[in-house]
Amino acid sequence: PITKDNSLILKAGENFLSPIERQSPKKIFVLQTMSKTGQQPKPTEATRTATKMDKNKAPLKSQSRFNLDWFSMYCITALGGVCIWLFSTFQSIHERAEMFAKANPNYNWPHSREFLSMLAYAVIISVVRSVFVKFFTDPVKTLLKDCRDKDVRATKVTQALFKVIFYVSIVTWAYLLIKDTEFLGPQLGGSGDFKNIWRNFPYYSYPEGLTTYYMFSLAYHVQSLFFHVLITERRNDYLEMLLHHTVTCFLLYISFVLNYVRVGVLVTFVHDISDIFIYGAKFLVDLKWEKIQIPYYGLLMTSLAYTRLYVYPFYVIQWGAYYCEEQAKVEIRGRDIGLVMLFMLLFLHIYWFCILLKIGFSKIFKGKRMEDEFCVIDKNEVNKQKTKGGDKKVKVQ
């Protein structure tokens, strides 16, 4: 029984118990033994580990999306600047587009009504994505036999699989459309030259069906932004992904209205190629297929380095933004802000590439599991586990 005389000993003894032991019958036995002897038991290895885990809970707060470090501040500033610029120049962009359209009535200039089809595509993609995840989540669970957070991980695996299938399909579609054009260089399997991106602008030609592809690609990024803001659990990379989705949507929107379709399709094409390998890596990590993780990691880093750190800055940005007015017949309106947004994406690519290098170093040289390094802490999932009982630290990709 707990009395006033031994209350201090009992209070001290609780420090040697793990959180689960404090709620179990074992606590009564230990505390009663301590009250009889009047001595504090020596901490065992298990209690030392439990105490260390309790101390490590404090840094979890720094993992939340509200941690405004230097990179988060960059994302907030850049996002605010892009939004302010777009709203301030919205009217002038459309006036310029109307001027070009009236100057050459025979040319099929991009029209705002195409965005209605984009919204329809976004709804279709969202529905197909939700049905796909719901249908394939249960079969994926059978592959996750010894997994503590099976439901959450199965959902992540299914979402990654859907995105791999989507990007393989849209990259194939884009390549079939532009492989024989004059503006796709041999660096991406084309027969033309990136120097011809702005040739005969503003009334240049592009393949039939490219407008449909463009709207479909924009629809995917719009629904991704919608899911990211309103549906998906908020993680500690929330601001980075919000900036990425927003800048991509703005670039596609502006480039379509002003008929910068050639440079726009190259930007989406070069990013979609590497996205196949990115979501393929997430698929393998959550499935815990460690035997092929390192070979696939090498393939992932090669694709990112080639497409996003070589082709994108030295060909797409160089000929799509720096030297855009050499072959165009008129002034390229919005060149400066377009260049800024393209460099925002490039900066994000360099940042993520360095993070992936760190993950690979930890896996290869330190022997850490890639799933521990390739994941981010989902604070909402941690809170859900706490409400169910027990203090568990859950990692969700």
Side-chain angles (χ1 to χ4, degrees):
I2 300 177
T3 62
K4 184 177 180 180
D5 296 334
N6 58 20
S7 60
L8 293 178
I9 298 177
L10 298 179
K11 184 177 180 181
E14 287 188 356
N15 295 329
F16 297 102
L17 300 179
S18 67
I20 298 177
E21 288 173 340
R22 293 173 191 172
Q23 302 175 3
S24 66
K26 183 179 179 182
K27 171 185 175 181
I28 301 175
F29 173 77
V30 173
L31 297 183
Q32 286 179 349
T33 303
M34 291 168 53
S35 64
K36 291 178 181 179
T37 60
Q39 297 178 357
Q40 296 183 11
K42 294 182 179 181
T44 62
E45 185 65 28
T47 56
R48 289 194 187 97
T49 304
T51 304
K52 186 177 180 180
M53 290 176 60
D54 289 342
K55 292 180 179 179
N56 289 338
K57 288 179 185 177
L60 182 62
K61 185 176 181 181
S62 63
Q63 300 281 355
S64 93
R65 66 185 180 92
F66 298 102
N67 180 29
L68 298 181
D69 55 8
W70 68 271
F71 193 77
S72 299
M73 292 301 297
Y74 159 77
C75 293
I76 294 175
T77 304
L79 187 61
V82 170
C83 293
I84 293 174
W85 176 86
L86 180 66
F87 290 129
S88 62
T89 60
F90 182 83
Q91 184 176 357
S92 63
I93 288 175
H94 283 269
E95 289 177 352
R96 185 173 180 82
E98 292 178 2
M99 179 188 70
F100 282 133
K102 292 179 180 179
N104 190 353
N106 297 325
Y107 183 79
N108 187 21
W109 190 268
H111 199 275
S112 299
R113 62 174 175 268
E114 298 290 344
F115 291 107
L116 295 177
S117 62
M118 181 273 296
L119 295 177
Y121 296 150
V123 173
I124 293 173
I125 295 173
S126 300
V127 172
V128 172
R129 173 179 176 173
S130 301
V131 172
F132 183 91
V133 171
K134 184 176 182 180
F135 183 79
F136 286 99
T137 298
D138 289 336
V140 169
K141 289 180 183 179
T142 60
L143 301 175
L144 304 172
K145 298 180 181 179
D146 301 324
C147 185
R148 184 175 58 183
D149 51 340
K150 183 181 294 187
D151 293 338
V152 176
R153 194 174 290 271
T155 301
K156 296 294 182 181
V157 170
T158 311
Q159 290 177 345
L161 179 60
F162 170 79
K163 292 179 180 180
V164 169
I165 296 173
F166 174 83
Y167 280 117
V168 169
S169 303
I170 202 167
V171 165
T172 304
W173 183 11
Y175 182 72
L176 293 177
L177 286 174
I178 65 176
K179 63 183 179 66
D180 297 324
T181 59
E182 64 177 351
F183 59 88
L184 182 66
Q187 292 79 7
L188 291 178
S191 57
D193 196 324
F194 288 105
K195 297 179 181 180
N196 298 324
I197 291 177
W198 296 99
R199 187 177 182 183
N200 297 324
F201 178 83
Y203 304 113
Y204 50 33
S205 61
Y206 45 81
E208 183 179 359
L210 192 63
T211 300
T212 304
Y213 161 81
Y214 214 79
M215 289 295 100
F216 199 83
S217 182
L218 177 58
Y220 175 80
H221 290 288
V222 168
Q223 67 88 31
S224 295
L225 180 61
F226 173 81
F227 269 82
H228 182 73
V229 174
L230 300 178
I231 297 178
T232 306
E233 298 287 355
R234 294 187 177 182
R235 308 173 302 178
N236 62 356
D237 62 345
Y238 177 80
L239 289 174
E240 295 94 314
M241 294 306 301
L242 179 62
L243 177 62
H244 178 270
H245 292 318
T246 304
V247 170
T248 303
C249 290
F250 282 173
L251 279 172
L252 290 175
Y253 169 79
I254 296 172
S255 61
F256 182 78
V257 171
L258 294 176
N259 202 26
Y260 302 164
V261 176
R262 286 186 175 185
V263 66
V265 71
L266 289 176
V267 170
T268 58
F269 182 62
V270 77
H271 285 80
D272 291 346
I273 293 174
S274 54
D275 279 333
I276 297 174
F277 300 97
I278 291 175
Y279 290 105
K282 293 184 177 182
F283 176 80
L284 294 176
V285 167
D286 267 333
L287 279 181
K288 299 184 178 181
W289 289 357
E290 296 186 4
K291 292 183 179 180
I292 60 176
Q293 282 181 3
I294 293 181
Y296 190 88
Y297 173 81
L299 187 62
L300 167 65
M301 299 304 289
T302 302
S303 67
L304 287 175
Y306 183 76
T307 58
R308 297 194 177 189
L309 301 183
Y310 173 64
V311 175
Y312 176 65
F314 295 106
Y315 290 95
V316 177
I317 292 182
Q318 180 178 1
W319 296 106
Y322 272 125
Y323 302 109
C324 58
E325 295 182 356
E326 289 189 358
Q327 294 192 9
K329 296 182 178 180
V330 296
E331 177 189 1
I332 306 299
R333 179 66 62 88
R335 171 181 176 272
D336 295 335
I337 188 63
L339 187 62
V340 169
M341 286 192 285
L342 290 174
F343 270 103
M344 284 182 186
L345 292 179
L346 179 61
F347 184 75
L348 287 173
H349 300 335
I350 296 173
Y351 173 76
W352 286 326
F353 188 82
C354 293
I355 292 179
L356 290 173
L357 282 177
K358 181 181 177 181
I359 292 173
F361 180 84
S362 299
K363 171 67 176 179
I364 297 173
F365 297 103
K366 295 184 179 181
K368 294 184 179 181
R369 293 186 303 173
M370 191 168 287
E371 63 174 307
D372 293 338
E373 298 292 327
F374 203 73
C375 298
V376 293
I377 296 176
D378 191 326
K379 195 172 182 182
N380 292 332
E381 289 297 331
V382 173
N383 294 332
K384 289 178 183 178
Q385 293 293 335
K386 286 184 178 179
T387 58
K388 294 180 181 179
D391 293 334
K392 296 180 180 180
K393 192 174 183 180
V394 181
K395 290 187 176 182
V396 181
Q397 187 171 330

